[in-house]
Amino acid sequence: VRSHGLNVKPTIIDNFENRAKRDTSDLDITFHYYPGCVGNNRVPANRSSGAYIFRPNATSPKQLNPLTTENFNGVLVDEKRVVYDQKVLSVRRHYKELEFIENEWLVGPIDISDDVGKEFAVRYQSDILNNGEFYTDSNGRQVLKRKLNQRPQWNVTLAEPIAGNYYPVTNEIYIENGDKRLTVLTDRSQGGTSLQEGQVELMLHRRLLHDDAFGVGEALNETANGEGLVVRGRHRIFTTKDEVLLRKNILQLHQQPIVFVSEAHIPYDQWL
Amino acid sequence: KFVLNELKSAMGVMQHHDAITGTEKQHVTHDYERLLNQAIDDALLIARQAFNKVTQGDALKPPLFEYARCRLNESSCHASETSDQFIITVYNSLGWDLKEALRIPVVEGSYEVYAPNGQKIDSQLVPIPPLVLKIPTRHSSATHELVFIARLHALGIKSFYIKKIKKNKRDSHTHDYYNVGSN
């Protein structure tokens, strides 16, 4: 990988290097889905996974298999595209003038031909030892420290170890240890967690076949086109601890430049 | 002002917790889509008038530019994929200078991108992933995305002129090539 004068240089995409600190970290991106729980909704303990609640019917998700990989390299951006089964696409890219790695994901339409509702998540696995601690910005106002299987105010035993460790992520989720940090910025509010050491997990897309009895009265099964929705979004991955840079990038991702495209009825010289 | 108020009103409705989290019934989702879509379409009228006023100094003259509604989230834009020359106007709403990568849907070809100062800038053509091309609801002829980096000033507007050139792709000086490796 050529040098481009930036502080972060990915060697797409199995590891990334903080050149300022001459430090390399591993990064692995994998996709998974949780099968949704089906209950009878008569008592709270028997609720289905639905629009209001995430309730997987498994303690570990099913990992998707990569089917094809393509690389595109050019003067501005290097991309690696991985197509997974279950209609999932991941485009990992690095713009040579920008200080982040972008993972553009596409999920759907989610296949429900097996009558199983599914909830898709992405996992970013690094070699950072975070001791079960991770940070989410919760409601977008304040970054809060989360600890796996713990609550700060009382002793807790989680009956649902996956959902019980999921927290709202409005803009950012990160793990850190000493000088090392892995931050993932989201382009929309998502659920996120860190279930294993060095890992950041974010929920991407859900399609469920049963109502969860919290009031909506419908399953989360959007079939406007008869097939379910396709969702496409982006995560931006940073290794920096520069809070100003991160803060700016959070706003930049949410308030992207507004783009207008218009036909030019005038030649270039006149436009100039 | 009334079309701007229509968009403000629609955005107000979208603050409802059901709209934010997606816990509304499906027919309500469709109604939200209808409200927002109509409001955005109407509010674009202001952008069209404003930009033509800025460029011509007279809003009553026939427009130089017609803004197209693009669906960049599905790599679809009628204006850029059907025109041999088009203009990308970008507004940075943030209070600091920034660099942003723009990805404009186009059909395969050779393109030149010009910055507002007339300088030709680097661009790169990358194919749209087949999974995106196959999205059932996507209606677009775009097969590629034209990528370039926009350097934007705080609260600034910039326009880029893009020209499709009848040149062999390999002869282009805009570096709009791509290398493909697959396994």
Side-chain angles (χ1 to χ4, degrees), chain A residues 59-120:
Chain A
T59 50
S60 61
K62 293 185 191 307
Q63 184 167 344
L64 304 186
N65 298 313
L67 301 177
T68 61
T69 306
E70 283 184 309
N71 295 314
F72 296 88
N73 303 314
V75 289
L76 296 178
V77 61
D78 291 337
E79 291 190 359
K80 179 179 181 179
R81 300 175 177 182
V82 186
V83 177
Y84 296 86
D85 56 356
Q86 299 283 341
K87 292 176 184 164
V88 171
L89 167 73
S90 168
V91 181
R92 301 98 189 257
R93 60 171 68 105
H94 175 240
Y95 295 102
K96 292 170 183 176
E97 294 186 40
L98 305 178
E99 290 200 325
F100 54 79
I101 299 165
E102 188 169 87
N103 179 29
E104 183 180 272
W105 45 268
L106 180 145
V107 183
I110 295 174
D111 179 24
I112 51 163
S113 58
D114 54 0
D115 285 331
V116 176
K118 299 178 182 70
E119 319 196 31
F120 282 75

Side-chain angles (χ1 to χ4, degrees), chain A residues 156-207:
Chain A
V156 67
T157 303
L158 292 176
E160 301 188 26
I162 307 290
N165 282 303
Y166 255 75
Y167 291 91
V169 176
T170 306
N171 304 297
E172 66 172 323
I173 177 169
Y174 66 85
I175 54 173
E176 65 179 3
N177 187 350
D179 287 341
K180 283 188 170 184
R181 183 187 286 191
L182 175 73
T183 304
V184 182
L185 305 187
T186 60
D187 65 350
R188 68 200 68 188
S189 297
Q190 294 180 320
T193 185
S194 173
L195 296 173
Q196 293 172 25
E197 284 298 283
Q199 195 177 84
V200 169
E201 176 174 321
L202 285 157
M203 178 75 73
L204 303 177
H205 188 19
R206 318 169 65 212
R207 188 177 184 189

Side-chain angles (χ1 to χ4, degrees), chain A residues 135-144 146 167-173 185-186 188-190 246-247 250-251 254-255, chain B residues 20:
Chain A
Y135 298 80
T136 66
D137 65 346
S138 191
N139 53 10
R141 293 175 184 170
Q142 182 184 9
V143 172
L144 294 176
R146 316 292 192 180
Y167 291 91
V169 176
T170 306
N171 304 297
E172 66 172 323
I173 177 169
L185 305 187
T186 60
R188 68 200 68 188
S189 297
Q190 294 180 320
L246 286 168
R247 186 62 41 195
I250 285 170
L251 286 163
H254 279 270
Q255 291 177 256
Chain B
I20 290 169

